[in-house]
Amino acid sequence: MTVQSIAGPRFSWRGPSNGWRQREGRGPTLALALFILVFSLIPVGRLIVAAFEGGFGAFWQVLDAPDVWRATRNTLVVAFGSGSLALLIGVVFALILSVTTLRARTALAFIMVMSLMIAPQISALAFKTLAGPASPLLKLVGLAPAPGTPNPMLGEFGIIVVMGLHHAPLVAITLASGLASIPRPLIEAARLDGASPWQVVNRIMLPLLRPFLLSAALLAFVAGTGNFGIPALLGLPVGYVTLPTLLFRKLASFGPATIGDAAAISVLIALIAGTGVIAASLLLARSASRLETDHRIEPFWELGRWRPAVEAGVWGVIALTVLLPLASLLATSLVPAYGVRLSPSSLTLAQYVEVLFRQDLTVRAFRNSMLLAGGAALSLAVITLVSAYVLDRAKPKVKAFAFALIELPYAVPGIVLAIACILLFIKPLPLIGVSIYATPWIILFAYHARFFAIALKPVMAAMATLDDAVQEAAVCDGARLGQRLRHIVLPLVFPAVFAGMLMVFLLAFNELTVSALLWSAGTETLGVALLSLEDSGLGAEAAAVAVTATLLVLVLMLAMQMLARRLPPNALPWQALAGPDRERRG
């Protein structure tokens, strides 16, 4: 909507782009264009050039290899299998949280999303320590398998189960947006006509949710295609290789000499994942525009006397799939070595003292992850403030196109972005002749590219709620852009900026997929340290690192929850899943 000032059309805040440029100058627009060019277009473009440098024949020769075909087959199997499991669990939980009178739905949604926010390698390690004959938790209750029994979580089955559980909240969050868009009068009319709650769900809601169901399935498939942490911990020990872990093994074994082959495989991964991302985005855009309404549904399925049983079942699933594996991780971290039975006599905090204060690798990894994640969060706060300001005033098609480019490095698998960064920085930078390859700066650059879209979303949502009249008055008083951003816009959107910073820090602190290929001696991150400890057979130390990282995730999520009332509606993923505006007291 255009807001006219008393000075006339020259100060129309959301007027034509030429008038805006006359008032603001081209600086913010050029800054946004530079961000998109540097963080999105140049890395992806360099990857494509490297993949086809020798022509299509050379590109196909790399892909037409037995190990690539085998890894492709494994990737598709685990992506389809885990995606199906994630879809089943995510649909059930999304419906239960949205349509039933279940109590404590915010707590349930919070725990579900926490399982998604926890790094994939930590989830894999938790399930690995839970199963098998060496499990301290199973030994405690006398249910451990006989010594020598293979760990059932290692291999294809374990990867599918853990990955499916890890991505189920992603499906639930996607469906929550569709459920929130179903018109409430439609549900109320069906109920007045005598339709039972099951009939409303089966005959009205599910048909309307088909586009969201398909897009959720595609997103789960894409997430499974690019996942590195879970196949690395559960697949590599038994020789089960997917495309991301194949890339890791090639570069770890042969180094930069195989960078051309890695580029070709990266393009293959990007093509598989990109097809799903584009299809899911188109489905969500079309379905959202068709169903969007201001009359949102409220829980209508009265559980009555069945509510205790339903709640016990829901919490039981959460306990088995989220809390029990984390309890196993905690138990493993409290014994002298992995495989020792947990008891009062074996209980020890020595592993925490070792990884937090004594061991150079883990102490350095904590410090590096803290600095890199914190640096990315702080600088992205400034970048997103300027970017959201520009995009909020852009035409809808321009805004959509620009955000799609910004989201590109996050949409492609992290391992693909890492290869792109290696290709981009393996030689000294033009003009200045300085190389950031094998330095912390390459990891920091990758974090900026990967998490730009994550930091931008809440700021854009907050920017859209601002009253333009306040800024219009400042323009009339002669305030410059920098003054308005610092003294007017930033104080109003700061909670969203801070939430974006916390989200970036949370994701970057435990990140492994990107840093697994970009780290060098002295620049190890927490995810790399955990993988190294587990690979060296130091399971108890790895569990202590994982528990510490999980506690940090919990603290940051609680901090964001404290900001919830000052953020736009559904700015936090668990808030969108639980639907706090629809929640009722039991």
Side-chain angles (χ1 to χ4, degrees):
M1 180 180 294
T2 299
V3 179
Q4 297 283 346
S5 72
I6 58 173
R10 188 171 71 89
F11 290 105
S12 173
W13 194 257
R14 297 181 189 268
S17 59
N18 288 336
W20 182 83
R21 288 176 180 171
Q22 290 174 2
R23 289 194 309 275
E24 306 286 15
R26 296 179 181 270
T29 304
L30 291 176
L32 176 60
L34 181 63
F35 298 149
I36 294 175
L37 180 67
V38 171
F39 294 141
S40 297
L41 297 180
I42 292 180
V44 175
R46 182 66 184 90
L47 177 67
I48 295 173
V49 169
F52 293 95
E53 211 162 21
F56 184 79
F59 172 77
W60 177 250
Q61 186 177 1
V62 173
L63 301 185
D64 193 22
D67 58 343
V68 176
W69 281 108
R70 184 166 54 253
T72 303
R73 176 262 176 198
N74 292 342
T75 300
L76 294 175
V77 168
V78 298
F80 276 116
S82 64
S84 300
L85 179 61
L87 186 66
L88 175 63
I89 297 173
V91 168
V92 172
F93 268 88
L95 289 173
I96 288 176
L97 291 174
S98 297
V99 307
T100 70
T101 55
L102 196 74
R103 292 171 293 191
R105 60 164 54 89
T106 300
L108 282 166
F110 185 90
I111 295 174
M112 275 200 74
V113 175
M114 186 184 74
S115 71
L116 178 65
M117 293 297 179
I118 293 172
Q121 66 270 15
I122 293 179
S123 296
L125 182 61
F127 278 92
K128 183 180 179 181
T129 61
L130 177 62
S135 171
L137 197 61
L138 292 183
K139 285 185 175 183
L140 178 65
V141 295
L143 295 177
T149 305
N151 191 320
M153 290 291 106
L154 294 178
E156 185 175 274
F157 172 79
I159 294 173
I160 290 175
V161 170
V162 176
M163 198 180 291
L165 293 173
H166 187 72
H167 294 152
L170 179 65
V171 173
I173 292 169
T174 304
L175 288 180
S177 62
L179 286 163
S181 300
I182 295 177
R184 188 173 65 198
L186 185 64
I187 306 299
E188 293 174 347
R191 295 289 288 148
L192 289 173
D193 285 342
S196 67
W198 169 246
Q199 289 175 323
V200 171
V201 171
N202 188 42
R203 298 183 183 180
I204 297 176
M205 298 181 67
L206 289 180
L208 290 174
L209 288 174
R210 282 173 187 167
F212 290 92
L213 288 168
L214 184 55
S215 61
L218 288 170
L219 289 176
F221 171 79
V222 169
T225 300
N227 193 293
F228 171 75
I230 295 174
L233 264 76
L234 301 182
L236 287 181
V238 292
Y240 191 88
V241 180
T242 62
L243 284 173
T245 53
L246 176 65
L247 273 179
F248 175 76
R249 288 179 59 173
K250 281 183 175 292
L251 286 179
S253 303
F254 303 105
T258 61
I259 195 67
D261 294 354
I265 298 173
S266 297
V267 169
L268 174 62
I269 300 174
L271 287 173
I272 296 174
T275 302
V277 169
I278 293 172
S281 300
L282 291 174
L283 283 168
L284 284 176
R286 292 178 181 177
S287 53
S289 62
R290 251 194 339 260
L291 290 177
E292 191 172 358
T293 176
D294 292 331
H295 302 285
R296 306 303 174 102
I297 65 169
E298 293 183 353
F300 59 85
W301 196 324
E302 297 288 344
L303 297 176
R305 61 189 179 91
W306 293 103
R307 185 163 66 180
V310 173
E311 290 176 343
V314 171
W315 280 104
V317 172
I318 290 291
L320 288 174
T321 59
V322 179
L323 302 181
L324 186 61
L326 291 179
S328 174
L329 203 60
L330 178 62
T332 303
S333 70
L334 295 175
V335 294
Y338 181 54
V340 176
R341 184 179 181 274
L342 181 65
S343 65
S345 60
S346 65
L347 193 67
T348 177
L349 295 176
Q351 312 303 340
Y352 289 94
V353 175
E354 179 72 18
V355 300
L356 293 176
F357 303 106
R358 292 179 181 173
Q359 195 170 115
D360 289 341
L361 171 64
T362 52
V363 171
R364 189 168 58 244
F366 271 104
R367 182 179 65 247
N368 290 339
S369 290
M370 191 76 68
L371 291 174
L372 291 170
L378 286 172
S379 58
L380 281 173
V382 178
I383 291 172
T384 53
L385 180 65
V386 175
S387 301
Y389 186 85
V390 175
L391 290 174
D392 188 52
R393 283 145 187 81
K395 296 179 180 179
K397 290 184 178 180
V398 174
K399 182 193 296 187
F401 180 70
F403 189 78
L405 293 179
I406 292 171
E407 205 170 21
L408 183 61
Y410 186 74
V412 299
I415 200 106
V416 175
L417 177 62
I419 296 294
C421 290
I422 292 174
L423 288 165
L424 190 60
F425 296 115
I426 196 169
K427 295 181 180 179
L429 295 171
L431 301 179
I432 61 175
V434 176
S435 174
I436 66 171
Y437 180 72
T439 71
W441 296 105
I442 190 173
I443 301 177
L444 187 62
F445 175 89
Y447 285 176
H448 277 76
R450 184 143 183 86
F451 302 124
F452 187 5
I454 296 296
L456 183 60
K457 285 182 179 180
V459 185
M460 286 183 62
M463 198 75 72
T465 65
L466 297 184
D467 186 358
D468 291 337
V470 178
Q471 299 181 62
E472 187 74 12
V475 173
C476 294
D477 288 340
R480 296 181 179 180
L481 174 62
Q483 294 173 317
R484 295 198 306 275
L485 286 175
R486 186 169 62 254
H487 298 297
I488 298 176
V489 177
L490 180 58
L492 292 173
V493 302
F494 180 76
V497 173
F498 189 66
M501 288 173 57
L502 288 178
M503 190 70 73
V504 169
F505 184 89
L506 190 152
L507 293 172
F509 186 78
N510 289 314
E511 196 280 328
L512 172 64
T513 308
V514 172
S515 54
L517 295 182
L518 298 182
W519 73 276
S520 58
T523 66
E524 301 92 340
T525 62
L526 203 58
V528 172
L530 190 149
L531 185 62
S532 177
L533 290 171
E534 178 64 17
D535 191 50
S536 302
L538 301 174
E541 288 85 347
V545 172
V547 170
T548 305
T550 302
L551 288 175
L552 182 63
V553 169
L554 177 60
V555 169
L556 290 178
M557 288 182 64
L558 289 173
M560 287 188 283
Q561 178 62 28
M562 293 174 66
L563 287 173
R565 293 186 178 181
R566 301 187 61 186
L567 295 174
N570 300 331
L572 301 176
W574 58 90
Q575 187 184 62
L577 179 57
D581 57 325
R582 302 189 305 270
E583 186 164 346
R584 295 176 178 174
R585 294 183 179 181

